């Protein structure tokens, strides 16, 4: 891969979250590893993680500071935006939520360890005038943070949307997902010269809309499926962006760290 040997930190591969007890049973963590020790072990294998819990609850600066201090020097983070700004939005109260989020992730910003904030939008967030206005106001409220937007609905696949992201220097989250009607499709697109971002969700078409995360994200990629990205899409993307972040979200049964290491091996070989 172009220039990887000269600058190995141009592409960072990790998983979406790391504190999964089932990864002990899967053999990724040593037997008896508790959640408090998982980050230290994880960071010996991967250079970056995507923080999941910040979607479920608003991050607090003291907790973020403790977490970052557990990681070794050079380790980096991406953090999901809290669901009160994406899925459960209060029309009047969301600006205050945006302020709280900024305050919560401040330790990672100040230490230089925050590479991205993932604005993960829900499947029901279709492209219409109201949602377009809200997204524009949200991105304005979070301006200055390294923003990444993940759409789940196919209505956002338009040149106007991509051009707007480019104008703002906001990264489009490229996804690997099942081929389902109305679901945002896999694209290899760069909208920000500073960063590209890829999320591997798995291709479990039967489980995707089951309502069960254990079914939705239960998928084990083959070498050939990952090679679709490592041999053509990712090399083209890294030619357009300074840094790339790649996360595996197929966490069930420890498949995410397994597949992440497979992709790293392919990228190193190429």
């Amino acid at each position: 891969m172009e220039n990887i040997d000269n600058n190995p930190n141009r592409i960072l591969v990790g998983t979406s979250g790391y504190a999964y007890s089932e990864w002990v049973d899967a053999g990724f963590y040593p037997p008896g590893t508790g959640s408090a020790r998982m980050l230290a072990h994880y960071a010996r294998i991967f250079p970056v993680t995507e923080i999941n819990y910040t979607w479920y609850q608003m991050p607090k600066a003291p907790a973020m500071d403790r977490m970052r201090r557990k990681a070794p020097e050079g380790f980096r983070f991406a953090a999901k935006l809290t669901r009160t700004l994406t899925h459960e939005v209060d029309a009047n109260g969301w600006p205050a939520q945006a302020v709280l989020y900024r305050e919560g992730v401040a330790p990672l910003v100040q230490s230089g360890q925050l590479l991205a904030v993932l604005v993960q939008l829900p499947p029901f967030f279709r492209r219409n005038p109201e949602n377009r206005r809200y997204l524009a106001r949200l991105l304005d409220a979070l301006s200055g943070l390294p923003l990444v937007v993940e759409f789940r609905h196919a209505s956002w696949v338009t040149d106007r949307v991509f051009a707007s992201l480019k104008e703002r220097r906001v990264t489009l989250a490229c996804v690997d997902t099942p081929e389902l009607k109305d679901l945002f499709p896999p694209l290899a697109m760069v909208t920000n010269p500073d960063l590209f971002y890829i999320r591997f969700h798995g291709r479990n078409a039967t489980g995707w809309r089951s309502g069960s995360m254990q079914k939705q994200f239960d998928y084990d990629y083959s070498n050939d499926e990952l090679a679709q990205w490592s041999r053509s899409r990712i090399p083209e993307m890294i030619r357009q962006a300074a840094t790339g972040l790649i996360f595996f979200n197929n966490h069930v049964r420890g498949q995410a760290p397994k597949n992440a290491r497979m992709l790293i091996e392919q990228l190193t070989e190429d």
Side-chain angles (χ1 to χ4, degrees), residues 77-93:
F77 298 91
K80 282 187 180 179
L81 192 63
T82 312
R83 58 184 172 180
T84 51
L85 288 162
T86 57
H87 290 60
E88 303 165 7
V89 180
D90 181 335
N92 297 316

Side-chain angles (χ1 to χ4, degrees), residues 12-27:
L12 303 180
V13 181
T15 64
S16 300
Y18 60 85
Y20 298 101
S21 59
E22 64 193 276
W23 288 10
V24 178
D25 297 333

Side-chain angles (χ1 to χ4, degrees), residues 51 53-55 57-68 77-82 85 95-111 113-114 116-117 142 145:
I51 306 171
Y53 90 85
T54 54
W55 184 83
Q57 57 183 284
M58 186 64 65
K60 302 289 176 53
M64 282 295 197
D65 194 50
R66 288 192 298 269
M67 180 187 64
R68 74 168 192 85
F77 298 91
K80 282 187 180 179
L81 192 63
T82 312
L85 288 162
Q97 293 287 299
V99 172
L100 289 176
Y101 187 88
R102 278 184 175 278
E103 294 172 350
V105 299
L108 297 182
V109 175
Q110 292 163 3
S111 67
Q113 291 171 281
L114 183 68
V117 169
L142 299 172
L145 293 174

Side-chain angles (χ1 to χ4, degrees), residues 140-152:
D140 286 342
L142 299 172
S143 178
L145 293 174
L147 299 176
V148 178
V149 175
E150 179 179 2
F151 298 108
R152 286 283 174 90

Side-chain angles (χ1 to χ4, degrees), residues 20 25 61 76 80 112 123 137 155 157 163 188 203 224-225 240 255:
Y20 298 101
D25 297 333
R76 297 292 184 265
K80 282 187 180 179
R137 293 181 64 196
S155 59
V157 183
R203 301 179 182 180
D224 286 344
E225 288 172 333
Q240 302 175 56
Q255 292 164 142

